[in-house]
Amino acid sequence: MQFRIKWQDVALTVALLFFGLAGTRFAARLQDGAPLDVFAHLLITLAATGLLFRSVRPLWTFAMTTAAIAVYLALGYPFGPILVSGVAAMYAVAMYASIELAAGCALLYALVILPWWNDSVTSWITWSAGWILLPAAAGVLMKLRRKSVVDVRERAVISERLRLAQEVHDVVGHGLSVIAMQAGVALYVLDSDPAKARASLEAIRDTSREALDGLRSELDTLRGSAPLRPTISLADVPALAARMREAGLEVSVELDDVELPGNLQLGVYRIVQESLTNVLRHASPGVTASVRVYAVRGELVVEIADTGTPGPLTEGHGITGMRMRAESFGGTLEAGPRNDGFAVIARIPLPS
């Protein structure tokens, strides 16, 4: 069984050892008890040495320290700094073991002290509360605090992984949809209109390059080497619409001049991109789409509508991802049939 002893545990052990060996001499002068000898110093050393294992084997620490203290008191040596090692052992059990086990160890340690207590039971209870229960409570609170910090970190990691997954879904899904559409066009006009086929192949090249760049950017984020600011903004929406037109979907764009932070611009761009990709995937020939981004009454409204035939709404990963993006900025997103087509409308509070 292998484990690594932490340097913090070594430092604590050395401090307790020095305090125990040096302080017990002064404590012995103020009390009546068996004179200190080599065995007493050995027990003090053993009690402090148990703290070496407090982080990796807290029960070993408690067993060694408590046994050394019990024998020390049973032989009549004076009360002294050796009890501080017991405090540290109790804290270690509460910190690194379960709460139930810590409660049992606290009771056992108090009972170990009781037979050698020379004062009243009331003073023993008071001493136990201060020297046993308080360290145990402090250890439990510290463990709960660390656990809460770990839980927060784990939630942040899960959230970041979901965000990256959504980014990859949007980048790759959009790219593949455009590539599939352009490839179909190129095959259809390959013999009759070579120029059109060439234009479609060039669009495939450009789209695949953009998708690869986006995927590479997300991988750089995982490696921790991504740029600090988003590289995509609302200024890229017209270019997105142009690619959609090349793929056969007529798109009109209206963008208000609104100052927005970079992360919000990226989020809005992804909503527009996913919406137009869905239209490209599912709409019939001749369908047109419109994109409007404007501010009204303290809200940024992102509206993507198409003239496709209304039908039942099946909410897949795309709409779910868009809704999550809007909600991450404190907004809402609605998607469904509207009049003569389908619409996605996101409302996001403008940053103050």
Side-chain angles (χ1 to χ4, degrees), residues 70-83:
V71 174
Y72 179 93
L73 297 178
L75 294 177
Y77 295 120
F79 275 64
I82 190 175
L83 298 177

Side-chain angles (χ1 to χ4, degrees), residues 24-25 27-41 43-44 71-79 118:
T24 302
R25 295 182 182 179
R29 296 175 185 175
L30 304 177
Q31 303 177 46
D32 295 329
L36 297 176
D37 53 18
V38 174
F39 192 61
H41 290 91
L43 292 173
I44 294 171
V71 174
Y72 179 93
L73 297 178
L75 294 177
Y77 295 120
F79 275 64
N118 297 324

Side-chain angles (χ1 to χ4, degrees), residues 130-143:
W131 287 72
I132 300 177
L133 295 183
L134 282 182
V140 170
L141 289 176
M142 182 59 69
K143 177 171 64 177

Side-chain angles (χ1 to χ4, degrees), residues 166 170 267-276 278 299-304 313 315-336 342-349:
Q166 186 62 47
D170 291 350
V268 171
Y269 178 91
R270 293 302 187 200
I271 291 174
V272 173
Q273 181 187 56
E274 180 63 25
S275 298
L276 293 179
N278 286 339
E299 284 186 332
L300 180 71
V301 180
V302 184
E303 182 178 339
I304 306 96
L313 171 64
E315 183 166 324
H317 295 296
I319 294 178
T320 301
M322 289 189 290
R323 180 170 288 111
M324 290 174 60
R325 285 187 186 278
E327 292 175 350
S328 69
F329 296 106
T332 61
L333 184 137
E334 299 175 359
F342 192 89
V344 173
I345 303 175
R347 303 180 184 276
I348 300 172

Side-chain angles (χ1 to χ4, degrees), residues 99-327:
I99 296 177
E100 295 79 4
L101 195 57
C105 290
L107 178 61
L108 179 60
Y109 184 42
L111 294 177
V112 166
I113 301 296
L114 179 60
W116 324 113
W117 191 259
N118 297 324
D119 211 333
S120 65
V121 175
T122 302
S123 66
W124 170 77
I125 294 175
T126 303
W127 185 93
S128 298
W131 287 72
I132 300 177
L133 295 183
L134 282 182
V140 170
L141 289 176
M142 182 59 69
K143 177 171 64 177
L144 294 176
R145 179 179 177 275
R146 287 190 177 182
K147 185 178 184 301
S148 67
V149 171
V150 171
D151 290 343
V152 169
R153 289 176 179 172
E154 288 180 349
R155 286 197 295 270
V157 169
I158 292 173
S159 176
E160 180 63 12
R161 286 175 177 172
L162 289 174
R163 187 196 68 79
L164 290 173
Q166 186 62 47
E167 288 290 335
V168 171
H169 170 272
D170 291 350
V171 171
V172 176
H174 166 73
L176 291 178
S177 295
V178 174
I179 288 171
M181 184 66 70
Q182 293 284 14
V185 172
L187 288 173
Y188 183 75
V189 301
L190 182 61
D191 296 325
S192 59
D193 191 349
K196 178 64 176 176
R198 178 181 179 85
S200 295
L201 291 174
E202 289 176 350
I204 290 175
R205 179 198 61 195
D206 296 339
T207 302
S208 60
R209 181 181 299 160
E210 180 186 1
L212 288 173
D213 288 341
L215 186 58
R216 188 179 297 111
S217 176
E218 297 307 320
L219 292 177
D220 288 340
T221 300
L222 286 173
R223 300 188 188 104
S225 57
L228 296 179
R229 309 178 101 187
T231 57
I232 295 177
S233 67
L234 288 179
D236 296 298
V237 172
L240 171 64
R243 289 196 300 273
M244 290 294 176
R245 295 188 196 101
E246 293 174 355
L249 175 65
E250 190 61 34
V251 181
S252 63
V253 177
E254 295 181 27
L255 300 177
D256 278 3
D257 187 11
V258 184
E259 290 291 333
L260 300 173
N263 60 338
L264 180 53
Q265 293 196 47
L266 174 61
V268 171
Y269 178 91
R270 293 302 187 200
I271 291 174
V272 173
Q273 181 187 56
E274 180 63 25
S275 298
L276 293 179
T277 301
N278 286 339
V279 176
L280 188 65
R281 286 173 180 165
H282 306 299
S284 56
V287 168
T288 62
S290 63
V291 176
R292 295 181 61 207
V293 179
Y294 57 93
V296 57
R297 293 189 294 274
E299 284 186 332
L300 180 71
V301 180
V302 184
E303 182 178 339
I304 306 96
D306 66 76
T307 60
T309 303
L313 171 64
T314 301
E315 183 166 324
H317 295 296
I319 294 178
T320 301
M322 289 189 290
R323 180 170 288 111
M324 290 174 60
R325 285 187 186 278
E327 292 175 350

Side-chain angles (χ1 to χ4, degrees), residues 53-110:
F53 314 104
R54 72 185 190 107
S55 301
V56 290
R57 294 292 184 271
L59 289 183
W60 289 14
T61 293
F62 178 78
M64 290 178 60
T65 302
T66 303
I69 292 175
V71 174
Y72 179 93
L73 297 178
L75 294 177
Y77 295 120
F79 275 64
I82 190 175
L83 298 177
V84 177
S85 296
V87 172
M90 197 63 254
Y91 177 87
V93 171
M95 178 72 180
Y96 297 105
S98 66
I99 296 177
E100 295 79 4
L101 195 57
C105 290
L107 178 61
L108 179 60
Y109 184 42

